[in-house]
Amino acid sequence: MISFANDYLEGAHEKVLNRLIETNMEQEFGYGSDSYSEEAIEKIKELIECPNASIRFLVGGTQTNQVVIDSVLDKFEGVLAPETGHINVREAGAIEYSGHKVLTLPSEKGKISAQSVNDYLDLFNQDETKEHMVTPGMVYISFPTEYGTLYSYDELEELSRVCHENNLPLFIDGARLGYGLVSDEADVTMKDIARFSDVFYIGGTKIGALCGEAVVFTKNNEPKQFVSIVKQHGALLAKGRLLGVQFLTLFTDNLYFDISKHAVDMSQKIKRAFLDKGYELYFDSPTNQQFVIMTNEQVKELNEHMSFATWEKYDDLHMVIRFVTSWGTSEENVEKLISYI
Amino acid sequence: MISFANDYLEGAHEKVLNRLIETNMEQEFGYGSDSYSEEAIEKIKELIECPNASIRFLVGGTQTNQVVIDSVLDKFEGVLAPETGHINVREAGAIEYSGHKVLTLPSEKGKISAQSVNDYLDLFNQDETKEHMVTPGMVYISFPTEYGTLYSYDELEELSRVCHENNLPLFIDGARLGYGLVSDEADVTMKDIARFSDVFYIGGTKIGALCGEAVVFTKNNEPKQFVSIVKQHGALLAKGRLLGVQFLTLFTDNLYFDISKHAVDMSQKIKRAFLDKGYELYFDSPTNQQFVIMTNEQVKELNEHMSFATWEKYDDLHMVIRFVTSWGTSEENVEKLISYI
Amino acid sequence: MISFANDYLEGAHEKVLNRLIETNMEQEFGYGSDSYSEEAIEKIKELIECPNASIRFLVGGTQTNQVVIDSVLDKFEGVLAPETGHINVREAGAIEYSGHKVLTLPSEKGKISAQSVNDYLDLFNQDETKEHMVTPGMVYISFPTEYGTLYSYDELEELSRVCHENNLPLFIDGARLGYGLVSDEADVTMKDIARFSDVFYIGGTKIGALCGEAVVFTKNNEPKQFVSIVKQHGALLAKGRLLGVQFLTLFTDNLYFDISKHAVDMSQKIKRAFLDKGYELYFDSPTNQQFVIMTNEQVKELNEHMSFATWEKYDDLHMVIRFVTSWGTSEENVEKLISYI
Amino acid sequence: MISFANDYLEGAHEKVLNRLIETNMEQEFGYGSDSYSEEAIEKIKELIECPNASIRFLVGGTQTNQVVIDSVLDKFEGVLAPETGHINVREAGAIEYSGHKVLTLPSEKGKISAQSVNDYLDLFNQDETKEHMVTPGMVYISFPTEYGTLYSYDELEELSRVCHENNLPLFIDGARLGYGLVSDEADVTMKDIARFSDVFYIGGTKIGALCGEAVVFTKNNEPKQFVSIVKQHGALLAKGRLLGVQFLTLFTDNLYFDISKHAVDMSQKIKRAFLDKGYELYFDSPTNQQFVIMTNEQVKELNEHMSFATWEKYDDLHMVIRFVTSWGTSEENVEKLISYI
């Protein structure tokens, strides 16, 4: 059945697969020291105009969040995050498993404000026995958020400023980074992401790769013996070439952004169709996810033709349904979806 | 430069890659619920004649060891392992990171005996305050071992018996399982491995796959909420199809064993060549790794043409050199190596 | 300076100290196997009419929370707690350090409702990918709460029922248990606490002892190899007699409750004095803590004579001040406090 | 029954108890900020002539080892220790629970040599993929050792030199420090211990206190936010005065050393008696523990009058028995023991 359930339904972009085939029998060093990884790293450094960046490839999103947060934080520190952040709700406690508390901030449509960080720090610093509390050691946000929303340039700049004034590294989870950056409503580039953050990752799993996330430490700040920490987490891939070749392809000839654009175009088309037919949106998302309020009956009917994710109950008669597109979504399937609603 | 440094130098077997391409645009469920994973699981169950087995695909070896050991052990338990076992020496403390002590047993050429397990338990059980010690909660061995050696049927049966008499699950690390099973000296099958062990894994990364290890719980004994534990370790792959398709291909038409046989043939050819030319072996390995004693000068010379791993210093004038073959080793390269020694 | 800052300002009740002296040179087994611990355990079992209870003595409150929660939870589970619960805010991340997430529930004056537990479980169980979330594995509450408030018999009964219907052990943090039970507003006994909970602890540190908390597993449910887990946490006291003698004394001749009553009487006297003089309470606490709204100026003046804890800012002109009494609070000091307000 | 089973059989030295009584009703700050702790810290600093030392009081030995090692090590580091070290064999995996591997060195009578540390580092540093191994991050030894033996001044100086040349902090476990320092065979002082080590602890539990160990960071090197780490481990005692008063008393008027001397005198007397009667020693210990080889029959007979610890089986006819004295051992009991052998 046609599915709009998530953005990891298909394999990889064909150019990525072709490059894997072409390079397949070359003998390469393992654990990230292969020539493709090195080349991919150079491509990304150029793109973000950050020659001193340190870049490493990991396999998946939760793994990346766990390894980055655990390696950046001191033992007694926790990570500030939106209460709706992926690390707080959908990673099976991977951050706590590594010993760190997720300290939650109130969020609106998945976003936190610089003010909320400031308020948290004020309360923390006023506390007479703050050594009995978890010390905030970094700030985590997602771009785009889990709700498909975006931080503006000004919001990121402000958040970044507050973080740096307080010596808190800012970590941007970019599992869907491409889908955010190519949105018509985005006013930041990947270079801005690199400048505002201390570490971020470029999602590959959801954007054209079989697997893989590129972690970028942007301020000459890769944690000491990072490779050992990755290995200790069971996250060091023997055939690092698998990640290197994929990212090299994605960052050749603008492929990463072109395929991201396709996904967002398809998503906006779906959004317009729903609006045209009088549906109400739960969030107005400018990226590759749409959250639509549908009656229980509409959901049931559509489900006979398509699969999708039930986000949450809206009220007794309605549900919030999520429709997700990706680099692999065909225009044909989008037309079919539109024809059914 | 031609390399015999390890068994993860090339990408994947071409049949594996082709199958990835053929299935690429099918929309599949994530996290291991895809149809290819399900089909691969059935194939493996049939092969090991173990209908109640529970099989899960993970990405890499250290990850698999960490997840399996942490999920099987109780909180206060440790894992008995050969002092030379991979988990004890080359996994950057991944087991301890998950909170468990590796309790070492004396090993010979990488192997432990049933007797050594018995002796350990005797001492432990006699201790007046054994609740102050780490309780042994499982036994870990590798087949083949890190030294390319094999346990015989009788040795495995005896070890298995002692483990089960003492309620200790036996875990067999099969990162190179194929290379062990196809050896002329092996007198066990994968079905025996399944019967003797409580959990084992079938290595894909070193035998034909881009990545992937198949964990098999053989006694209807998958740990409770295993998927949550995998996720918590950051080890749950979104596109589980990547693993499913690869293992499905490897376990179709005997591919896994055929390509393993090629590697072992190449390795034995190398061994015979060294012996013919008067070299001494450090271990006599019947699998895909050879450990040869060479003079420092010989090493230096050969290194101008080939790359390989320095295992350890033998004495002031000699070194132990490891030559590894894999499914991807070409006969041509083997001939070249032989011509240089 | 006279202090009402907390309830661990003095040493131990003199009867406790005297008993330590009397028993000092007896040779006793270590690690909790001493005769005094055994006798104390019997006393407590009789009091709570729970012959199958398993009782262990630990040293401090955070330690007890960490050990109990980590030993009761499965690896992939978290603990449901009021967002204001001690484990969530004032234990430096001790629960997360042991690998478990604190899952917060909305609280009112420190209390959660059975309904809030139900609502949480409903949402959790409806989730399509709940294996990506932390599974709730137990419920933590404090009696009295961190705000000096009490659950009623009916509230506890209802909470207990919901927990048990959902196989969630209920853990009651009784760091100030005595101060709650002797309150005029309490309608539960320690026997009720034992019946409603699956594990609770009787606070000694704040009620008459130099240190010590008595953990009571009430349903024949002490976690497997609990002593090993305690040792692994660094929480096993060599001279367990120190804890045994203290609890034996506290639970002889009703001492624990008599000294708790004194503290609560002193606290209520302070409360009435503040109310008489027109102050407003932040919470109306029936136990040993009072939270009073004072002007910044009043705070400053009083602080010249007394020390106390600043709870939080109320508004620009007012603060919430906490006054705590204990078994060791003298009536003389209470009179002095009253004379200054 | 009279016992020589261990050195925590009695309560505390009467001067310690008396001081607890005298200071009992003083109101003091919690968590180590009390005036007694401050005074005790000054006394110890003077004694070790180390004005920049940072001193903290913890409750027990395993706790201290866990907190110190976890706070000093980086996340990817392990601790080098004698294979017979307490942290390796008798702490229920408390070090691994905190995520760190105990890297074992061969030991003789409980001691390691500077050479063995050097050899370990040589092998480690030569390794081509040492980032896949646990990085040694500190060295742990005990003074006296678990076998009652002592390092000489020269041995400690050499070990210290090798550690510092390699940037490895040296941690000395002094659970029985007093019993080592007062031995006739000791040629080091506590000042030397402070100079050679980077962190050590002064055992109180086994030498005159109800509980308590004094951790001394000697090189202006207390780990960042150490109090938070202590709290996170559940190891921060609310009534820090309990520890402060005890150490203040022990380090007033030479009490710690005087009572240590008594224990060692009693132990040597026992040793001489055994030798006089023709028994063979397993180790010749100059401190407060004696290890004697006895026939199974002798053990059985003596056990009717005394209790003691069975160390290990010597051969089918003999056992190694441990006799321990302490500050609390009476000369009368020693005479009785001697009369029975």
Side-chain angles (χ1 to χ4, degrees), chain A residues 260-303:
Chain A
S260 293
K261 190 77 174 61
H262 168 75
V264 174
D265 287 349
M266 292 300 100
S267 182
Q268 298 306 309
K269 188 168 182 174
I270 291 170
K271 178 168 78 177
R272 279 191 306 271
F274 272 109
L275 288 173
D276 288 350
K277 301 195 181 181
Y279 288 82
E280 206 181 327
L281 301 176
Y282 192 55
F283 304 115
D284 184 355
S285 157
T287 63
N288 74 317
Q289 303 190 74
Q290 299 304 330
F291 300 82
V292 184
I293 300 167
M294 300 176 75
T295 65
N296 296 344
E297 205 158 307
Q298 286 168 336
V299 172
K300 207 179 151 195
E301 261 177 53
L302 186 59
N303 213 358

Short mmCIF file of all heavy atoms in Angstrom, two decimals, chain A residues 260-303:
data_model
loop_
_atom_site.label_atom_id
_atom_site.label_comp_id
_atom_site.label_asym_id
_atom_site.label_seq_id
_atom_site.Cartn_x
_atom_site.Cartn_y
_atom_site.Cartn_z
N SER A 260 16.07 17.15 -1.35
CA SER A 260 15.30 17.72 -0.23
C SER A 260 14.18 18.60 -0.78
O SER A 260 13.04 18.57 -0.29
CB SER A 260 16.20 18.56 0.68
OG SER A 260 17.14 17.76 1.35
N LYS A 261 14.53 19.37 -1.81
CA LYS A 261 13.54 20.29 -2.40
C LYS A 261 12.35 19.51 -2.94
O LYS A 261 11.19 19.92 -2.75
CB LYS A 261 14.22 21.08 -3.53
CG LYS A 261 13.41 22.23 -4.09
CD LYS A 261 13.44 23.42 -3.16
CE LYS A 261 12.75 24.65 -3.74
NZ LYS A 261 11.33 24.46 -4.06
N HIS A 262 12.64 18.41 -3.58
CA HIS A 262 11.54 17.59 -4.12
C HIS A 262 10.58 17.19 -3.01
O HIS A 262 9.35 17.31 -3.15
CB HIS A 262 12.11 16.34 -4.80
CG HIS A 262 11.07 15.33 -5.13
ND1 HIS A 262 10.18 15.47 -6.18
CD2 HIS A 262 10.73 14.16 -4.52
CE1 HIS A 262 9.35 14.44 -6.21
NE2 HIS A 262 9.67 13.62 -5.22
N ALA A 263 11.12 16.74 -1.90
CA ALA A 263 10.27 16.28 -0.79
C ALA A 263 9.40 17.42 -0.26
O ALA A 263 8.20 17.25 0.00
CB ALA A 263 11.14 15.72 0.34
N VAL A 264 10.01 18.59 -0.13
CA VAL A 264 9.26 19.72 0.42
C VAL A 264 8.20 20.18 -0.58
O VAL A 264 7.06 20.50 -0.20
CB VAL A 264 10.23 20.87 0.80
CG1 VAL A 264 9.46 22.10 1.23
CG2 VAL A 264 11.15 20.40 1.93
N ASP A 265 8.54 20.17 -1.85
CA ASP A 265 7.54 20.53 -2.87
C ASP A 265 6.33 19.59 -2.79
O ASP A 265 5.18 20.03 -2.82
CB ASP A 265 8.15 20.43 -4.28
CG ASP A 265 9.11 21.58 -4.56
OD1 ASP A 265 9.14 22.55 -3.76
OD2 ASP A 265 9.85 21.50 -5.57
N MET A 266 6.60 18.31 -2.68
CA MET A 266 5.51 17.33 -2.60
C MET A 266 4.66 17.59 -1.34
O MET A 266 3.44 17.50 -1.36
CB MET A 266 6.07 15.91 -2.55
CG MET A 266 6.75 15.43 -3.82
SD MET A 266 5.65 15.42 -5.28
CE MET A 266 6.14 16.95 -6.08
N SER A 267 5.33 17.92 -0.25
CA SER A 267 4.63 18.13 1.02
C SER A 267 3.74 19.37 0.93
O SER A 267 2.60 19.36 1.40
CB SER A 267 5.66 18.27 2.14
OG SER A 267 5.02 18.42 3.39
N GLN A 268 4.28 20.43 0.32
CA GLN A 268 3.50 21.67 0.22
C GLN A 268 2.30 21.46 -0.70
O GLN A 268 1.22 22.02 -0.47
CB GLN A 268 4.38 22.82 -0.26
CG GLN A 268 5.54 23.14 0.69
CD GLN A 268 5.08 23.42 2.12
OE1 GLN A 268 4.18 24.22 2.36
NE2 GLN A 268 5.67 22.70 3.08
N LYS A 269 2.50 20.64 -1.71
CA LYS A 269 1.39 20.33 -2.62
C LYS A 269 0.27 19.62 -1.84
O LYS A 269 -0.92 19.92 -2.01
CB LYS A 269 1.92 19.42 -3.74
CG LYS A 269 0.95 19.17 -4.86
CD LYS A 269 1.66 18.50 -6.04
CE LYS A 269 0.68 18.30 -7.20
NZ LYS A 269 1.38 17.79 -8.40
N ILE A 270 0.66 18.70 -1.00
CA ILE A 270 -0.32 17.98 -0.17
C ILE A 270 -1.02 18.96 0.76
O ILE A 270 -2.24 18.94 0.91
CB ILE A 270 0.39 16.87 0.63
CG1 ILE A 270 0.86 15.75 -0.31
CG2 ILE A 270 -0.53 16.31 1.72
CD1 ILE A 270 1.78 14.72 0.33
N LYS A 271 -0.24 19.83 1.36
CA LYS A 271 -0.82 20.81 2.29
C LYS A 271 -1.86 21.66 1.57
O LYS A 271 -2.99 21.83 2.06
CB LYS A 271 0.27 21.71 2.88
CG LYS A 271 -0.29 22.79 3.80
CD LYS A 271 0.81 23.49 4.59
CE LYS A 271 1.55 24.52 3.77
NZ LYS A 271 2.55 25.25 4.57
N ARG A 272 -1.47 22.18 0.40
CA ARG A 272 -2.42 23.04 -0.35
C ARG A 272 -3.70 22.28 -0.68
O ARG A 272 -4.80 22.81 -0.60
CB ARG A 272 -1.75 23.58 -1.61
CG ARG A 272 -0.85 24.79 -1.34
CD ARG A 272 -0.41 25.47 -2.62
NE ARG A 272 0.22 24.53 -3.55
CZ ARG A 272 1.54 24.24 -3.55
NH1 ARG A 272 2.35 24.82 -2.68
NH2 ARG A 272 2.01 23.37 -4.41
N ALA A 273 -3.55 21.02 -1.06
CA ALA A 273 -4.72 20.21 -1.41
C ALA A 273 -5.65 20.08 -0.21
O ALA A 273 -6.88 20.24 -0.33
CB ALA A 273 -4.28 18.84 -1.91
N PHE A 274 -5.08 19.79 0.94
CA PHE A 274 -5.92 19.67 2.15
C PHE A 274 -6.63 21.00 2.44
O PHE A 274 -7.83 21.02 2.74
CB PHE A 274 -5.07 19.24 3.36
CG PHE A 274 -4.94 17.75 3.50
CD1 PHE A 274 -3.73 17.11 3.23
CD2 PHE A 274 -6.03 16.97 3.90
CE1 PHE A 274 -3.61 15.72 3.36
CE2 PHE A 274 -5.90 15.59 4.04
CZ PHE A 274 -4.69 14.96 3.76
N LEU A 275 -5.87 22.08 2.36
CA LEU A 275 -6.47 23.39 2.64
C LEU A 275 -7.57 23.71 1.63
O LEU A 275 -8.65 24.17 2.01
CB LEU A 275 -5.38 24.48 2.62
CG LEU A 275 -4.42 24.46 3.81
CD1 LEU A 275 -3.28 25.46 3.60
CD2 LEU A 275 -5.15 24.77 5.12
N ASP A 276 -7.27 23.41 0.37
CA ASP A 276 -8.27 23.68 -0.67
C ASP A 276 -9.57 22.93 -0.40
O ASP A 276 -10.65 23.42 -0.70
CB ASP A 276 -7.73 23.23 -2.05
CG ASP A 276 -6.64 24.17 -2.54
OD1 ASP A 276 -6.44 25.24 -1.91
OD2 ASP A 276 -5.96 23.83 -3.53
N LYS A 277 -9.43 21.75 0.15
CA LYS A 277 -10.64 20.96 0.40
C LYS A 277 -11.24 21.23 1.78
O LYS A 277 -12.10 20.50 2.25
CB LYS A 277 -10.32 19.48 0.23
CG LYS A 277 -9.79 19.20 -1.18
CD LYS A 277 -9.78 17.74 -1.58
CE LYS A 277 -9.20 17.64 -2.99
NZ LYS A 277 -9.16 16.26 -3.49
N GLY A 278 -10.72 22.26 2.44
CA GLY A 278 -11.37 22.71 3.67
C GLY A 278 -10.89 22.06 4.95
O GLY A 278 -11.47 22.29 6.02
N TYR A 279 -9.86 21.27 4.87
CA TYR A 279 -9.32 20.68 6.10
C TYR A 279 -8.59 21.75 6.92
O TYR A 279 -8.10 22.74 6.38
CB TYR A 279 -8.33 19.56 5.78
CG TYR A 279 -8.96 18.31 5.25
CD1 TYR A 279 -9.30 18.19 3.90
CD2 TYR A 279 -9.22 17.22 6.09
CE1 TYR A 279 -9.87 17.04 3.38
CE2 TYR A 279 -9.79 16.06 5.59
CZ TYR A 279 -10.11 15.97 4.24
OH TYR A 279 -10.67 14.82 3.76
N GLU A 280 -8.49 21.48 8.18
CA GLU A 280 -7.73 22.37 9.06
C GLU A 280 -6.39 21.73 9.39
O GLU A 280 -6.32 20.51 9.60
CB GLU A 280 -8.53 22.59 10.35
CG GLU A 280 -8.20 23.91 11.04
CD GLU A 280 -9.02 24.03 12.34
OE1 GLU A 280 -10.15 23.52 12.38
OE2 GLU A 280 -8.46 24.60 13.31
N LEU A 281 -5.35 22.55 9.44
CA LEU A 281 -4.03 22.03 9.81
C LEU A 281 -3.84 22.11 11.32
O LEU A 281 -4.35 23.04 11.96
CB LEU A 281 -2.92 22.85 9.13
CG LEU A 281 -2.96 22.89 7.61
CD1 LEU A 281 -1.86 23.83 7.11
CD2 LEU A 281 -2.76 21.49 7.04
N TYR A 282 -3.09 21.17 11.85
CA TYR A 282 -2.78 21.22 13.28
C TYR A 282 -1.58 22.15 13.50
O TYR A 282 -1.55 22.96 14.41
CB TYR A 282 -2.50 19.80 13.78
CG TYR A 282 -2.44 19.66 15.26
CD1 TYR A 282 -3.51 20.08 16.07
CD2 TYR A 282 -1.34 19.08 15.88
CE1 TYR A 282 -3.45 19.94 17.44
CE2 TYR A 282 -1.29 18.93 17.26
CZ TYR A 282 -2.35 19.37 18.04
OH TYR A 282 -2.29 19.22 19.41
N PHE A 283 -0.58 21.97 12.64
CA PHE A 283 0.52 22.93 12.53
C PHE A 283 0.62 23.32 11.06
O PHE A 283 0.36 22.48 10.20
CB PHE A 283 1.89 22.31 12.87
CG PHE A 283 1.97 21.70 14.20
CD1 PHE A 283 2.16 20.32 14.32
CD2 PHE A 283 1.89 22.47 15.35
CE1 PHE A 283 2.25 19.74 15.57
CE2 PHE A 283 1.99 21.88 16.60
CZ PHE A 283 2.17 20.51 16.71
N ASP A 284 1.04 24.51 10.78
CA ASP A 284 1.30 24.91 9.40
C ASP A 284 2.78 24.70 9.14
O ASP A 284 3.60 25.55 9.45
CB ASP A 284 0.91 26.37 9.19
CG ASP A 284 1.07 26.77 7.73
OD1 ASP A 284 1.57 25.95 6.93
OD2 ASP A 284 0.70 27.90 7.39
N SER A 285 3.14 23.56 8.58
CA SER A 285 4.54 23.22 8.44
C SER A 285 5.07 23.55 7.05
O SER A 285 4.51 23.14 6.04
CB SER A 285 4.73 21.72 8.69
OG SER A 285 5.91 21.29 8.06
N PRO A 286 6.18 24.28 7.01
CA PRO A 286 6.79 24.64 5.72
C PRO A 286 7.80 23.59 5.24
O PRO A 286 8.51 23.85 4.29
CB PRO A 286 7.49 25.95 6.05
CG PRO A 286 7.90 25.80 7.47
CD PRO A 286 6.86 24.94 8.14
N THR A 287 7.84 22.44 5.88
CA THR A 287 8.86 21.45 5.48
C THR A 287 8.19 20.19 4.93
O THR A 287 7.25 20.30 4.14
CB THR A 287 9.81 21.15 6.66
OG1 THR A 287 9.08 20.57 7.73
CG2 THR A 287 10.50 22.43 7.14
N ASN A 288 8.69 19.03 5.27
CA ASN A 288 8.21 17.79 4.61
C ASN A 288 7.19 16.99 5.42
O ASN A 288 6.93 15.84 5.11
CB ASN A 288 9.39 16.88 4.25
CG ASN A 288 9.96 16.20 5.49
OD1 ASN A 288 10.12 16.87 6.53
ND2 ASN A 288 10.25 14.92 5.41
N GLN A 289 6.68 17.58 6.50
CA GLN A 289 5.66 16.89 7.28
C GLN A 289 4.42 17.77 7.37
O GLN A 289 4.53 18.97 7.59
CB GLN A 289 6.16 16.65 8.71
CG GLN A 289 7.45 15.89 8.80
CD GLN A 289 7.74 15.48 10.26
OE1 GLN A 289 7.13 14.59 10.79
NE2 GLN A 289 8.68 16.17 10.87
N GLN A 290 3.25 17.17 7.21
CA GLN A 290 2.01 17.92 7.37
C GLN A 290 1.15 17.24 8.42
O GLN A 290 1.03 16.02 8.44
CB GLN A 290 1.24 18.00 6.03
CG GLN A 290 2.03 18.72 4.93
CD GLN A 290 2.47 20.13 5.34
OE1 GLN A 290 1.80 20.81 6.13
NE2 GLN A 290 3.62 20.57 4.82
N PHE A 291 0.58 18.05 9.29
CA PHE A 291 -0.27 17.55 10.37
C PHE A 291 -1.67 18.07 10.13
O PHE A 291 -1.92 19.27 10.24
CB PHE A 291 0.27 18.03 11.71
CG PHE A 291 1.67 17.57 11.99
CD1 PHE A 291 2.77 18.26 11.46
CD2 PHE A 291 1.91 16.43 12.74
CE1 PHE A 291 4.07 17.83 11.70
CE2 PHE A 291 3.19 15.99 12.99
CZ PHE A 291 4.28 16.69 12.46
N VAL A 292 -2.60 17.17 9.79
CA VAL A 292 -3.93 17.56 9.36
C VAL A 292 -4.97 17.03 10.35
O VAL A 292 -4.86 15.89 10.82
CB VAL A 292 -4.22 17.00 7.95
CG1 VAL A 292 -5.57 17.49 7.44
CG2 VAL A 292 -3.10 17.36 6.99
N ILE A 293 -5.97 17.85 10.63
CA ILE A 293 -7.08 17.40 11.50
C ILE A 293 -8.15 16.76 10.62
O ILE A 293 -8.65 17.39 9.68
CB ILE A 293 -7.66 18.59 12.29
CG1 ILE A 293 -6.56 19.21 13.17
CG2 ILE A 293 -8.85 18.14 13.14
CD1 ILE A 293 -6.92 20.55 13.75
N MET A 294 -8.43 15.51 10.87
CA MET A 294 -9.41 14.79 10.08
C MET A 294 -10.44 14.14 11.00
O MET A 294 -10.14 13.82 12.15
CB MET A 294 -8.71 13.69 9.26
CG MET A 294 -7.65 14.24 8.31
SD MET A 294 -6.74 12.90 7.44
CE MET A 294 -7.97 12.38 6.25
N THR A 295 -11.66 13.94 10.48
CA THR A 295 -12.64 13.22 11.30
C THR A 295 -12.23 11.75 11.36
O THR A 295 -11.54 11.24 10.47
CB THR A 295 -14.05 13.30 10.68
OG1 THR A 295 -14.03 12.61 9.43
CG2 THR A 295 -14.46 14.74 10.46
N ASN A 296 -12.69 11.10 12.38
CA ASN A 296 -12.37 9.68 12.54
C ASN A 296 -12.79 8.89 11.31
O ASN A 296 -12.11 7.96 10.87
CB ASN A 296 -13.07 9.12 13.78
CG ASN A 296 -12.55 9.78 15.05
OD1 ASN A 296 -11.50 10.43 15.03
ND2 ASN A 296 -13.30 9.66 16.15
N GLU A 297 -13.93 9.30 10.74
CA GLU A 297 -14.44 8.61 9.56
C GLU A 297 -13.52 8.82 8.35
O GLU A 297 -13.22 7.88 7.62
CB GLU A 297 -15.83 9.15 9.26
CG GLU A 297 -16.71 8.20 8.50
CD GLU A 297 -18.17 8.58 8.74
OE1 GLU A 297 -18.56 8.69 9.92
OE2 GLU A 297 -18.88 8.81 7.74
N GLN A 298 -13.11 10.07 8.16
CA GLN A 298 -12.19 10.36 7.05
C GLN A 298 -10.91 9.53 7.18
O GLN A 298 -10.39 9.02 6.20
CB GLN A 298 -11.83 11.85 7.05
CG GLN A 298 -12.96 12.75 6.56
CD GLN A 298 -12.69 14.23 6.85
OE1 GLN A 298 -11.93 14.57 7.76
NE2 GLN A 298 -13.32 15.10 6.06
N VAL A 299 -10.43 9.44 8.41
CA VAL A 299 -9.20 8.68 8.65
C VAL A 299 -9.40 7.23 8.24
O VAL A 299 -8.58 6.63 7.54
CB VAL A 299 -8.78 8.76 10.14
CG1 VAL A 299 -7.62 7.82 10.43
CG2 VAL A 299 -8.42 10.19 10.50
N LYS A 300 -10.52 6.68 8.67
CA LYS A 300 -10.81 5.28 8.40
C LYS A 300 -10.89 5.01 6.89
O LYS A 300 -10.31 4.05 6.38
CB LYS A 300 -12.14 4.91 9.07
CG LYS A 300 -12.24 3.43 9.42
CD LYS A 300 -13.55 3.11 10.11
CE LYS A 300 -13.96 1.67 9.81
NZ LYS A 300 -15.37 1.42 10.15
N GLU A 301 -11.57 5.89 6.21
CA GLU A 301 -11.70 5.74 4.75
C GLU A 301 -10.36 5.82 4.04
O GLU A 301 -10.02 4.96 3.22
CB GLU A 301 -12.61 6.84 4.19
CG GLU A 301 -14.03 6.39 3.97
CD GLU A 301 -14.87 7.56 3.49
OE1 GLU A 301 -14.48 8.21 2.50
OE2 GLU A 301 -15.90 7.85 4.15
N LEU A 302 -9.62 6.88 4.36
CA LEU A 302 -8.34 7.07 3.68
C LEU A 302 -7.40 5.90 3.94
O LEU A 302 -6.64 5.47 3.07
CB LEU A 302 -7.69 8.38 4.14
CG LEU A 302 -6.40 8.79 3.40
CD1 LEU A 302 -6.65 8.95 1.90
CD2 LEU A 302 -5.82 10.08 3.97
N ASN A 303 -7.52 5.36 5.13
CA ASN A 303 -6.65 4.26 5.53
C ASN A 303 -6.87 3.00 4.69
O ASN A 303 -6.04 2.09 4.69
CB ASN A 303 -6.89 3.96 7.02
CG ASN A 303 -5.62 3.49 7.69
OD1 ASN A 303 -4.59 3.37 7.03
ND2 ASN A 303 -5.67 3.22 8.97
#
